[in-house]
Amino acid sequence: MVYLWVDGVYVKAGLEKERAALLVAIAGLVDGRKEVVAVVPGYRESVESWAGVLRDLRDRGLPAPRLVIGDGHLGIWGALRNVWPEADEQRCWNHKVLNVLEQLPRTQHRVAKAKLGAVAYAPTRAEAERKRREFEAWCQQHGYGKAAETLGRDWERMVTFYRYPQEHWRHLRTVNVVESPFAALRLRTDAAKRFKKVERATAVIWKMLMVAQTRFRRLNAPELLAKVYVGVRYEDGIEVTGKEAA
């Protein structure tokens, strides 16, 4: 296992008023395949719930991933430090953009999305930092200080992907590999109104993910995954060689 995408998905299941959280993990394997490795009911994406998922993966023989990609919930990051502290951490840019837009009036969303896209898809970390400062200046100019603060929060986890091959960046910026199948899955679970048992919802969703897995896009440049796995260093997506790698 080289990469691990994690996300909590909420479904209408159980007798409680609150929706049940299903903790989903998808592994990026050294041959480029993406494989669902966990769909587990959890409690509000807590540290304890996520730690249980990671320990189960570890006990099943899966090695620590080089990089874990997840959203902003604190549970997964706290659990990761407890179980696989050696893994790098990357926060999902889609979630970050939505969080920033929540701090802006709707009339500014189109402009803000373009500016945020320039940050997330900058070709180098230095350029991302520059585009971030430009966005923050725009926010301060128009009185949107909270939006600027939201973008800068947990910044180091937003730019970890620059230390990995550029060919993999499109896969590493977001948890789309988890979220995309759930667009159809939610239609199925919504149509069922509410599952009386969380276990039943989990079984249905696991089966549907198995079907979706056959259509997962493989990682680009799979020949680079072995290098990532053994710890080859990258800066701005380019392999560090020679004296620089020493």
Side-chain angles (χ1 to χ4, degrees):
M1 180 166 61
V2 183
Y3 301 128
L4 186 69
W5 293 267
V6 293
D7 200 7
V9 181
Y10 289 86
V11 297
K12 295 184 294 184
L15 299 178
E16 300 83 0
K17 292 182 179 179
E18 296 181 358
R19 294 178 298 169
L22 295 181
L23 310 183
V24 180
I26 296 176
L29 306 180
V30 75
D31 62 359
R33 289 181 298 121
K34 297 172 184 172
E35 186 172 304
V36 179
V37 291
V39 180
V40 181
Y43 179 72
R44 290 178 168 270
E45 299 190 67
S46 67
V47 171
E48 293 78 10
S49 294
W50 272 117
V53 173
L54 299 183
R55 289 192 193 99
D56 178 66
L57 295 178
R58 181 193 62 191
D59 295 345
R60 283 157 50 190
L62 290 177
R66 281 291 173 183
L67 177 67
V68 175
I69 305 97
D71 66 11
H73 288 286
L74 297 178
I76 180 58
W77 308 120
L80 193 62
R81 286 191 292 270
N82 292 335
V83 181
W84 281 325
E86 65 270 39
D88 287 339
E89 304 171 359
Q90 170 67 44
R91 275 194 58 178
C92 174
W93 268 100
N94 283 354
H95 285 85
K96 173 63 77 171
V97 168
L98 291 175
N99 291 340
V100 174
L101 293 179
E102 286 178 356
Q103 306 301 324
L104 295 167
R106 188 171 295 274
T107 55
Q108 297 291 348
H109 281 193
R110 182 179 62 81
V111 173
K113 281 182 179 179
K115 292 180 179 296
L116 291 168
V119 180
Y121 289 88
T124 66
R125 174 164 177 170
E127 180 69 4
E129 300 277 4
R130 188 176 72 81
K131 292 295 184 180
R132 171 193 166 187
R133 290 193 295 271
E134 288 182 3
F135 179 81
E136 290 172 339
W138 176 79
C139 288
Q140 296 300 337
Q141 179 183 357
H142 294 87
Y144 306 137
K146 287 187 177 180
E149 180 184 342
T150 300
L151 176 60
R153 189 179 303 129
D154 211 10
W155 178 252
E156 287 302 314
R157 285 199 186 107
M158 302 306 307
V159 293
T160 309
F161 71 89
Y162 285 110
R163 304 206 305 266
Y164 287 83
Q166 189 175 44
E167 292 85 347
H168 296 169
W169 287 0
R170 65 174 297 165
H171 305 275
L172 304 182
R173 286 190 183 97
T174 73
V175 291
N176 277 356
V177 67
V178 180
E179 298 230 327
S180 294
F182 275 93
L185 297 182
R186 285 194 180 94
L187 290 176
R188 179 70 171 271
T189 54
D190 286 349
K193 294 185 177 179
R194 188 179 186 90
F195 291 95
K196 291 183 178 180
K197 294 184 178 181
V198 175
E199 293 80 4
R200 186 171 299 174
T202 304
V204 170
I205 288 173
W206 180 275
K207 181 64 176 179
M208 295 178 72
L209 279 174
M210 291 297 98
V211 175
Q213 180 175 279
T214 64
R215 298 189 294 272
F216 284 166
R217 180 187 177 93
R218 283 178 173 250
L219 284 152
N220 295 340
E223 68 277 5
L224 299 179
L225 289 163
K227 290 186 174 184
V228 174
Y229 183 75
V230 299
V232 171
R233 286 179 52 206
Y234 289 81
E235 290 183 6
D236 287 333
I238 306 301
E239 181 180 344
V240 177
T241 59
K243 293 182 179 179
E244 295 178 346

